[in-house]
Structures are given as C-alpha cells and as structure tokens.
Amino acid sequence: MVETGVAGSARSASVKPKDASDALEAALAQLGPFGFYQGYVLVMLCIPNLFSVMYSLNYVFVADQVPFRCVIPECERGDVHFDNELAVALLPNNSQCQRYLPLQDDAQCEREHFHSVKTVTCQKFVYENYNTVFAEFDLGCREWLRTMVGTVRNAALPLSLILTGYTSDTYGRRTAFCIFSAFAGFMGIIKSFSLNYEMYLALEFLEAALGYGFNSAAYVLMLEMAHPSLRGVFACATGVAYGVGGVLFAWIAWGVPYWRHLLWTIHSLALLLPIYYILLDESPRWLHSQGNIKKTDAMIRKAAAWNKVIVDEEIMKRLNEDVKNESENEKQSPWKSLFHSRVLLIRFALCCWCWIASTFVYYGLTINSVSLSGNKYVNFALNMSMEIAASLLIMMALERIGRKLCIFLAFLLCGVACVSPFFIKHSGTSLGLFFVGKLAITFAFNSLYVFTAELYPTYARSSALAASSLVGRLGSVLAPQTPLLNMYVQAVLYGACCLSAAVGVLFMPETRHARLPQHVDDAERMRTDEDRLNETFSQPPPQLLRRYLSADT
C-alpha cells in the first residue's frame, strides 16, 4: 500500500504548488502509478477495443469478393448453378466478364454454336455463394463498387471525429463514449436490413459518422487516467485488445459467413456499452479543465479509497483553490489558443501528415491481407495478430527508448519492407516482408495515439487528437482503392509515405515521462524544456509530492 498522507505540521500553511497543473498532478500522484482503480479503468476500457475492430473493418468480409462467372442463357434456362460444367466450358479462361459470342439466335449449349475467339460482355452473373453484399447486390465485374464501401466508410470518419472531439471536450469523455457506442450498435443493426447496394452504402456512411467516435473518446479517457510512466503500458493494453478483437472477429466471420447475420452478431454487443455511464467515472483532467470542483475532488477521493491510499487534505485544498482561479480562463474554444500558437500549428501539421501516411499504409496492408494466398480468415487473423505483437513492442519500447525515436524507426522499417519486394522475387520472403511492414506500421499507428495526445493541452486534447486523426483519414479514404493497383505501384506509395513521415517525426518534441500539458504554454514548453518535464515523473510519488509542496520558487 502506498502511504501518501503526511502530518500537517510538516508543511507551512502558505505552501502551495506552483500552478494549477502542478496542483492537479500532485493530487493525482497521490493515487500511485497503478492501483486497483487504474486497473479497473484499464480493463473496462479495453473491452470496447475488442469490438472496435469489428466495426471498423467488417467491410473486409461483408463486402468481400465472391467467386462468380457469366450466366450462359443457352445452357441455363432454369435453375442456375455456379459449378455447371457445360456452362463453364463456354467461357474464356482469361476473363470473368466476357463469354463467347453465339453464332446464331437459337444457339444450343454446344461449343460449335459459339465463336472460337470473339466474345461479348456478360449481362448476368452467378455466384459461388451469396454470403456478401458483393454477391447479394450483384456487383460482379464492378469491382470499383465493392472497394467503394471502404472508401465511403472512411470518408465519413472526418465527420465522426469532429463530432467526437466537440462532444468529448464540451460534455466529457464518458458522455461522448456512451453516445457514440449506442449509435455504433443501433446503426450497424439497421445496416444489416439494407434492401439494395445504395441503401447499404448510405447506412455504411451513417454508421461510421455516428458510431466510430466511441473508441476515440475511450482512448482519451484512459490516457488521462494513466500515470505518465505507464501511458505506454496502457496503450499496449488497448492495442492487444484491438488485436485480440481482430482475431476473434476472423473466427466469428468464419463461423457466421452470411453478412446480415454477421452484422447482427457483432453490433448487438455495442448496445451494452452505454451502461458505462454508470460503471466509469469522468476524466479528472477534463473535470478540472471545466472548473468542476466537487466532481474532481469526489473522483480523486473515490480512486484513493479504491487504491487504499490516504489523500492529503492540503493538496486537495490547493487543488480546489486553483480550480476556482482557473475555471473561467479555460472556458474558451479549444482551437482559439492553438491557432495563435505557431509552435502548436507546426506540430499539428506534422502530426496530420504522420496520420495520413500511417492510415494509408495500415489500412492498405490490412485490406490486401485477405487477397493473400490461403484461407482469408486465417490470413486476416494472422494480420491482426501483428497488432498484438506491435502492442507488446510498444510497451517495451516507448517507455525505454522514447516516443519519437520509436515511431521514426517504425516508419523507416515499414518503408524499407514495402519497397524491398522490388529487389526480392522469392514469394516466401515477400510474404514475410509483408508482415514485417504490417507489424512496423501497426506499431507506428498505435504509438501515434499516445504521442499525439501528449502534445496538446487538456481542454483541447480530444479535439486536437480527433482533428489530427480526421485529416489523417484522407489516407484511409484512399486505402480501399489500392486493390485496384498493381503491387509495385502500391509498394512505391507505401514506401514514400512511410519514409516522409519518418522525417516529419524528427521535428517533434519527445514526450516520454512528460506530464500531460494542462495549458498551451505547457505544451509549447515541451519544445525547449523537455528535460525538466522528463525528469518530473521519473520520481516516485512521495518525492513528487514533496517537490510540489516545497516552498514556492
């Protein structure tokens, strides 16, 4: 048990932390780096990550291509079967969209009744099964309509992130999470009743716009609850949950292949998430930024009770006084101060490009994983297992090496892995490089969530993270179209994006062990005062408290 209560005689009544952010950090430091309360929050917020991947990537299976062929009317006047050998014999070997030209109007199902070379465009198709929207809505030979599903979904994410950022910073992280998780379940189930392709596409957009944001709100809530020295560990836990959710989703999709039933199965789970409003507390950092004295105090005391630590009343008194003094200054547009800061604007631009590069490469490799040879469900599960491996690497590397260097090396490795197939012809080696690239970009992508959130002040953190991710979704909008390109063009695009993002990371400050900036000034000082910030939380909580409660200097 961490004992942080200290006798009042040990301090003068005039002692106080240096500013409001110091007071908040001192109050939170009383809880210890990790206790039962933080463990509870971590477990509860990892659960939504199991579902998040199912909602983000379900179109990989729901809109997957199904083997199909032309219907030969001369041979198939009644029931049409995909494996009709007589009809298959009348089709060219090099095209799914053409059939041989009949030589006469009353041609029979015999080869001599068809031209030996000339072909005509197919008018109707038959599919091996009707488990996906590709088959059920008859999208044969219109591949662009299939890939459009992912593009439309990702095009809706900017709207989702705008809504999430505004709701999260205005009404709270917990409120945003509950609202958008309810939309995720509700809209997904409605989507499963689509009557045609157009209706499905419209509902795909609405589901993404209204339901995607719950995961972003949950991530910010968890990050603000994490001790600075454990943010990497918390990020690792959520990444592992996301990867496990992907593997679980592959298993569910294998067992429930029909797309409507699959959507019912996964989206019904999201309808349970709004009960988190009862099960979780609001972020104390957000409450503090809003000047909510009572709830900030109550939440910290509750966490202390769960962790069996004693709160210091002098610290809580100073925290409450600082909340009163600062509350009016924080009630402003999150972007007003950011737009007046040249340092933060440059940082925002660099973050946006890193997000564009990471989302384009990440989703491009993920979508193309089902096109690899072998069972598509196994391939997807192996691909998502890279999430688990990358997350474990994040836990080991981010706190030991630092955010900036780790993300730089991850982008660099992915760029090399994506370009290497130009020079390596061995199929097994190329496949191995594919998974190395996926592992590296997953590491970079997941680390960007931590890195980006640590760069901005509290009252704009969710909006800034959402905005960076929003601009970055340009990459995820374009990624679903990459299956239309050959592998060499894809390799060039992936390599160029990764290498340029690696250079961009070098121009941002290190945030390892730095306390989360409470104000714009705090965020700007990360550029020139990194060493002091890194040193701040390398101290254990007792020394940290004594530092904050030392005489004002």
Side-chain angles (χ1 to χ4, degrees), residues 47-333:
I47 293 175
N49 269 277
L50 294 173
F51 307 145
S52 176
V53 62
M54 303 182 189
Y55 310 146
S56 298
L57 296 174
N58 65 70
Y59 64 87
V60 172
F61 294 120
V62 170
D64 192 24
Q65 190 181 84
V66 171
F68 67 96
R69 64 169 177 83
C70 284
V71 172
I72 309 298
E74 294 80 5
C75 299
E76 301 172 292
R77 292 184 173 86
D79 292 336
V80 179
H81 301 286
F82 177 76
D83 56 355
N84 186 326
E85 295 182 358
L86 293 176
V88 171
L90 299 176
L91 296 173
N93 292 327
N94 60 352
S95 176
Q96 290 180 295
C97 303
Q98 302 287 320
R99 69 186 188 94
Y100 288 117
L101 175 68
L103 295 176
Q104 54 194 38
D105 293 338
D106 58 347
Q108 301 299 311
C109 188
E110 298 179 11
R111 185 65 185 87
E112 57 267 23
H113 287 200
F114 294 83
H115 199 284
S116 59
V117 178
K118 290 184 178 181
T119 61
V120 293
T121 301
C122 299
Q123 300 300 314
K124 190 176 180 181
F125 302 95
V126 61
Y127 300 85
E128 185 177 46
N129 61 66
Y130 289 82
N131 287 334
T132 74
V133 298
F134 177 81
E136 187 157 332
F137 298 145
D138 194 21
L139 304 183
C141 287
R142 293 181 290 174
E143 179 69 6
W144 66 275
L145 288 179
R146 183 183 76 84
T147 59
M148 185 61 68
V149 174
T151 296
V152 166
R153 177 179 181 82
N154 290 323
L157 298 187
L159 175 58
S160 174
L161 292 167
I162 290 173
L163 292 173
T164 303
Y166 175 78
T167 305
S168 184
D169 283 333
T170 305
Y171 301 104
R173 286 53 163 137
R174 181 182 60 174
T175 300
F177 171 82
C178 293
I179 290 173
F180 293 115
S181 62
F183 274 119
F186 183 67
M187 295 304 300
I189 291 175
I190 292 179
K191 184 177 70 174
S192 69
F193 291 99
S194 299
L195 301 177
N196 51 51
Y197 174 77
E198 292 75 16
M199 180 179 177
Y200 173 83
L201 207 61
L203 289 172
E204 184 76 36
F205 181 91
L206 289 175
E207 182 216 332
L210 299 177
Y212 176 80
F214 79 90
N215 191 48
S216 177
Y219 192 87
V220 173
L221 176 58
M222 183 174 64
L223 186 69
E224 292 184 339
M225 284 300 304
H227 187 273
S229 65
L230 294 177
R231 288 183 208 136
V233 176
F234 275 49
C236 165
T238 59
V240 168
Y242 190 84
V244 170
V247 174
L248 179 63
F249 178 50
W251 177 74
I252 294 174
W254 198 349
V256 188
Y258 184 48
W259 70 275
R260 295 184 192 272
H261 297 165
L262 178 61
L263 292 179
W264 295 342
T265 301
I266 61 176
H267 283 280
S268 59
L269 300 173
L271 296 177
L272 301 175
L273 295 180
I275 65 174
Y276 270 50
Y277 197 86
I278 301 173
L279 301 177
L280 284 181
D281 296 311
E282 183 55 82
S283 164
R285 296 182 185 276
W286 181 82
L287 292 171
H288 178 270
S289 72
Q290 298 297 304
N292 196 322
I293 301 172
K294 291 184 179 179
K295 289 188 178 180
T296 304
D297 185 281
M299 184 266 139
I300 293 175
R301 291 180 184 277
K302 174 183 176 180
W306 283 35
N307 287 354
K308 294 183 169 61
V309 297
I310 303 171
V311 298
D312 190 289
E313 295 302 331
E314 179 67 17
I315 295 175
M316 301 305 292
K317 178 182 177 182
R318 298 302 180 186
L319 172 65
N320 291 342
E321 289 177 354
D322 285 319
V323 169
K324 291 178 183 178
N325 295 334
E326 296 272 335
S327 61
E328 291 302 319
N329 295 329
E330 297 298 335
K331 293 180 180 179
Q332 55 179 304
S333 169

Side-chain angles (χ1 to χ4, degrees), residues 67 73 106 190 199 367 429 431 442 473 489:
D106 58 347
I190 292 179
M199 180 179 177
I367 291 167
T429 304
L431 183 63
T442 300
R473 293 305 157 175
V489 175

Side-chain angles (χ1 to χ4, degrees), residues 459-479:
Y459 62 89
R461 181 169 298 119
S462 187
S463 291
L465 176 60
S468 299
S469 182
L470 181 154
V471 176
R473 293 305 157 175
L474 175 62
S476 61
V477 169
L478 298 175

Side-chain angles (χ1 to χ4, degrees), residues 57 60 361-370 380 383-384 438:
L57 296 174
V60 172
V361 179
Y362 175 85
Y363 284 105
L365 294 180
T366 299
I367 291 167
N368 282 283
S369 67
V370 297
F380 186 84
N383 179 68
M384 294 309 300
K438 181 59 169 62

